[in-house]
Amino acid sequence: VFQQNESNLHPHSKGCRAVRGGILARQQQQQPMVMPAPSLSSSSPVLASSLSELTDRLQDVDDLPPQQELARWLMATQNKVDEAEAMFRKSRSWRKQRGVDFVLNWKPPEVLRKYYPGGFAGFDSCGCPVWIIPYGNLDMKGMLSCISREEFMEFTLRIMETSMMLMRQNTLATGSPVYQHVFIFDMDGFSLKTATYSPTLDILKKLIAMYEANYPETLKAAYIINASKVFKLVFGIMKSMVKQNTVDKIKVLGTSGWKKPLHEAVPQEILPPQWGGTNMQFMEEVGHERTGICMGGEVPLYYQSVQQPQEIPGMGDISTLTIASRSVFKLRFTMKQKCDLRWKFKTERGAIGFGVQRRECVQPVLSREEVSAFHIMAEEETKDKDDANIEAATDAHSVPEIQITNDLEDHERNYGNVKMKYHAGTKHKADCAVELLEEVDEMGSFVEDQTIHAETVNKVSRVRSHQQLQTGVLHCEPGFTYILIFDNSHSIFRSKKLTYGVNIQKF
């Protein structure tokens, strides 16, 4: 499902509906009878009682998941309601900060789509999604030479979200709860060179931690086939990071004798021939989407020479600047309606302080004549003068930096009380025709009140942004200017390179 060509995969997109429809139709032909999965909520009276209590505690949470999904958090915490609630809320916060609900909208780089090994095979007899990952064919070093680690992890996260989507879809299609999936990892080709490449272990550690904390009890079984002595050595190190109940679901099988136990658990009808199955349609096209198994392989030098890593995936426009030592950089956003302010950033050459403040705004009443004075056109012959006017206007009204896209059509964006319109086809702000259009209604426009003290939302504290991508989201109320603070004042001699992306999502 995730091996698409050019179209994005979203739960409600036409392409995704075509994929789901084609997959389900194929599975109905191959598996006329689906054995119902056991119901989590009814598996024991104690669990049912705890599930009812947990549901009551989470009434303040929007879009609460179905009961069979919610029960997984109780199973992961041995039916301890307090721990299950804390774990669920922490995961919800993580999803919001990382923007997980939008990961299926992200269009991955071509090298990931063509050389990340794996794919969706079908559903087992209980309706659980089955994924095949030929991990031994992964060229991690070649991959990381043209993409960032964050992009690799984002693509893996995309697989998880696609699998969760398929579970929910099959639950609706069959009427039986589906809450787990099966993974088959083929380690044929896994070498000592791969095992000793340090980023491989680092990424695996982060992925395991992410999976355990945010997708508890979703693993029905994992079959690791063609496992060499080298892999078994690595697995012995890695399994200490995995919870015991997850380790118990992992079956490590050698280079021979793996077909029988695999076929006892997974129908041969959905497995491609190289895994002992009879499915000859595993590379078929459904709509414009590819539903086959990508075999991975060595990344060609072409991609390593032309592909530029996307340091912060899924955020659109990215900005980079240098914050001098003993300096502070601030981004200001004045909000006119309720919205979420989402950010991601990383630094080079050390940690940085980060915090959020907000300041209440006033609403001066402006006439239409006054508004028209803010109309600015950046012409080529008066480029320097108009750039100064643009910067002065944005500073005066707390408008974030204008970002230019390369879209083929004209574009409009709204930031707080100012609408920016710019003509596409140019890459530099000075070459672009820009209009600042003040939106004035009967109540007037919001303007930051500089006469009052800013209120602390998140206290400035040092974060290890040079080691890990920092993400966050803040629910914003109208009538306030929100200030993102990047503080390098603690550094006496060293400047920091900051790369950041900010999105505003309206309700």
Side-chain angles (χ1 to χ4, degrees):
V1 172
F2 62 92
Q3 290 297 332
Q4 69 274 25
N5 294 326
E6 295 299 328
S7 56
N8 290 334
L9 185 61
H10 186 273
H12 304 297
S13 67
K14 292 182 180 178
C16 189
R17 288 197 298 268
V19 172
R20 291 187 310 218
I23 290 170
L24 292 173
R26 182 178 47 163
Q27 293 308 311
Q28 288 171 358
Q29 293 176 358
Q30 295 172 349
Q31 296 172 221
M33 182 176 182
V34 176
M35 299 296 292
S39 173
L40 283 174
S41 59
S42 60
S43 58
S44 73
V46 175
L47 180 60
S49 175
S50 299
L51 181 59
S52 177
E53 182 181 349
L54 180 60
T55 304
D56 290 340
R57 292 190 184 191
L58 297 174
Q59 288 303 307
D60 61 306
V61 177
D62 295 330
D63 300 324
L64 206 60
Q67 293 286 286
Q68 68 269 14
E69 291 188 30
L70 200 58
R72 293 189 286 101
W73 303 88
L74 287 167
M75 297 178 66
T77 57
Q78 289 75 50
N79 214 34
K80 298 175 183 176
V81 180
D82 290 341
E83 293 183 17
E85 180 187 4
M87 187 179 181
F88 177 83
R89 290 186 183 277
K90 185 177 181 180
S91 177
R92 258 309 164 95
S93 177
W94 169 82
R95 292 183 66 87
K96 194 171 184 180
Q97 289 183 3
R98 194 177 177 99
V100 176
D101 292 336
F102 305 97
V103 71
L104 294 182
N105 290 334
W106 171 56
K107 183 179 178 180
E110 182 179 312
V111 67
L112 273 173
R113 303 198 304 269
K114 289 189 174 182
Y115 292 96
Y116 186 111
F120 171 74
F123 298 103
D124 70 4
S125 59
C126 293
C128 299
V130 177
W131 295 80
I132 299 177
I133 312 294
Y135 192 87
N137 292 335
L138 173 63
D139 179 11
M140 181 69 84
K141 187 173 183 178
M143 192 80 75
L144 293 183
S145 67
C146 46
I147 64 166
S148 65
R149 298 187 189 189
E150 280 299 321
E151 287 175 290
F152 186 92
M153 293 184 64
E154 198 86 348
F155 195 77
T156 308
L157 183 59
R158 182 184 173 89
I159 297 173
M160 293 303 305
E161 288 298 304
T162 302
S163 192
M164 297 296 292
M165 179 192 71
L166 290 172
M167 292 181 206
R168 298 179 187 116
Q169 178 69 19
N170 217 19
T171 296
L172 294 175
T174 64
S176 299
V178 179
Y179 47 85
Q180 291 180 313
H181 45 204
V182 176
F183 278 85
I184 301 170
F185 294 93
D186 189 345
M187 304 308 296
D188 185 28
F190 187 82
S191 64
L192 182 63
K193 181 180 177 181
T194 303
T196 55
Y197 183 54
S198 58
T200 300
L201 293 179
D202 181 57
I203 289 173
L204 284 176
K205 289 177 185 178
K206 291 179 179 178
L207 289 175
I208 289 172
M210 181 179 70
Y211 183 83
E212 294 275 52
N214 300 288
Y215 301 94
E217 296 299 323
T218 55
L219 183 65
K220 180 180 180 180
Y223 298 90
I224 301 176
I225 63 175
N226 290 314
S228 63
K229 293 181 179 179
V230 172
F231 171 78
K232 291 178 180 179
L233 179 63
V234 174
F235 182 71
I237 299 172
M238 298 301 295
K239 71 178 183 180
S240 62
M241 307 172 193
V242 184
K243 293 182 179 179
Q244 187 59 45
N245 58 339
T246 302
V247 173
D248 294 341
K249 298 176 184 179
I250 301 174
K251 296 176 176 59
V252 180
L253 307 173
T255 54
S256 61
W258 53 263
K259 288 187 178 180
K260 182 178 179 181
L262 181 63
H263 295 166
E264 288 175 353
V266 179
Q268 289 181 254
E269 292 80 8
I270 70 171
L271 294 175
Q274 61 262 54
W275 290 286
T278 60
N279 182 12
M280 302 301 296
Q281 300 178 335
F282 70 100
M283 288 300 292
E284 71 175 7
E285 298 279 340
V286 180
H288 295 290
E289 309 289 347
R290 233 175 117 194
T291 61
I293 312 299
C294 176
M295 295 303 296
E298 185 176 353
V299 176
L301 292 175
Y302 164 77
Y303 288 105
Q304 299 182 35
S305 61
V306 301
Q307 185 81 51
Q308 295 297 319
Q310 187 179 353
E311 296 296 334
I312 305 181
M315 290 300 286
D317 294 328
I318 302 300
S319 300
T320 300
L321 55 86
T322 298
I323 305 177
S325 59
R326 302 183 180 182
S327 299
V328 177
F329 172 66
K330 297 181 179 181
L331 287 172
R332 318 175 90 89
F333 301 88
T334 297
M335 306 303 181
K336 193 174 181 180
Q337 65 183 59
K338 289 184 177 181
C339 61
D340 278 342
L341 182 64
R342 190 181 307 278
W343 62 83
K344 293 183 181 181
F345 69 91
K346 60 184 295 186
T347 57
E348 296 179 18
R349 299 192 289 271
I352 201 169
F354 178 76
V356 183
Q357 293 179 341
R358 73 174 187 175
R359 182 180 279 121
E360 197 168 355
C361 296
V362 294
Q363 294 181 304
V365 178
L366 300 179
S367 66
R368 289 295 174 183
E369 290 73 21
E370 289 174 311
V371 172
S372 63
F374 291 97
H375 181 86
I376 301 173
M377 294 296 294
E379 302 289 353
E380 182 68 28
E381 61 270 19
T382 60
K383 185 186 305 179
D384 294 339
K385 179 180 177 181
D386 286 342
D387 276 353
N389 290 340
I390 292 170
E391 292 174 1
T394 55
D395 289 342
H397 294 276
S398 304
V399 182
E401 182 181 0
I402 300 169
Q403 297 174 338
I404 306 305
T405 68
N406 294 319
D407 295 342
L408 296 178
E409 299 177 357
D410 289 359
H411 231 44
E412 284 191 5
R413 288 190 184 174
N414 292 283
Y415 291 100
N417 59 320
V418 174
K419 178 188 289 183
M420 298 179 202
K421 183 177 181 180
Y422 46 86
H423 300 281
T426 56
K427 296 183 178 180
H428 303 289
K429 180 168 63 178
D431 299 331
C432 185
V434 180
E435 300 175 13
L436 300 184
L437 304 177
E438 185 79 11
E439 293 186 326
V440 180
D441 54 23
E442 296 178 356
M443 298 299 294
S445 292
F446 292 117
V447 177
E448 182 180 355
D449 186 355
Q450 299 283 354
T451 64
I452 63 175
H453 290 291
E455 172 189 353
T456 298
V457 179
N458 293 330
K459 186 178 179 181
V460 175
S461 60
R462 293 180 67 175
V463 293
R464 297 183 178 275
S465 49
H466 61 304
Q467 297 177 348
Q468 185 174 358
L469 182 69
Q470 302 296 308
T471 65
V473 64
L474 182 66
H475 174 67
C476 299
E477 296 293 333
F480 289 90
T481 292
Y482 289 83
I483 308 165
L484 303 186
I485 304 170
F486 301 89
D487 188 352
N488 195 36
S489 60
H490 62 272
S491 182
I492 301 175
F493 303 108
R494 183 176 295 178
S495 61
K496 308 292 169 57
K497 181 181 177 182
L498 171 68
T499 303
Y500 68 91
V502 179
N503 283 342
I504 298 176
Q505 297 167 346
K506 297 181 179 178
F507 291 162

